[in-house]
Amino acid sequence: MENVVQLIPVTPSIDQLARIIGNVAAPAFLLGAVASFISVLVSRINRVVDRAPISSRHHRW
């Protein structure tokens, strides 16, 4: 029975839980911010590509 008790992890304190949750949540928010930034860049590039034929027709070399 003593071996089973040794396998059960010690319950973390509130401060430890707050630190763990903060360390887990920060990369998720950073990943979300990077993904939204890339999404904005892709949409802007798509607009440039869509407008390229229009501007090339109006511009004479």
Side-chain angles (χ1 to χ4, degrees):
M1 188 68 174
E2 292 177 19
N3 292 336
V4 173
V5 173
Q6 291 176 352
L7 293 176
I8 299 173
V10 177
T11 305
S13 69
I14 298 297
D15 292 333
Q16 289 173 333
L17 279 176
R19 199 172 314 130
I20 290 169
I21 291 171
N23 288 339
V24 169
F29 283 115
L30 181 64
L31 201 62
V34 169
S36 63
F37 180 69
I38 290 173
S39 174
V40 167
L41 289 179
V42 167
S43 67
R44 300 261 172 132
I45 289 173
N46 283 337
R47 287 186 64 198
V48 169
V49 169
D50 288 343
R51 296 181 79 179
I54 296 170
S55 68
S56 66
R57 275 189 258 146
H58 292 301
H59 185 71
R60 294 186 181 186
W61 295 96

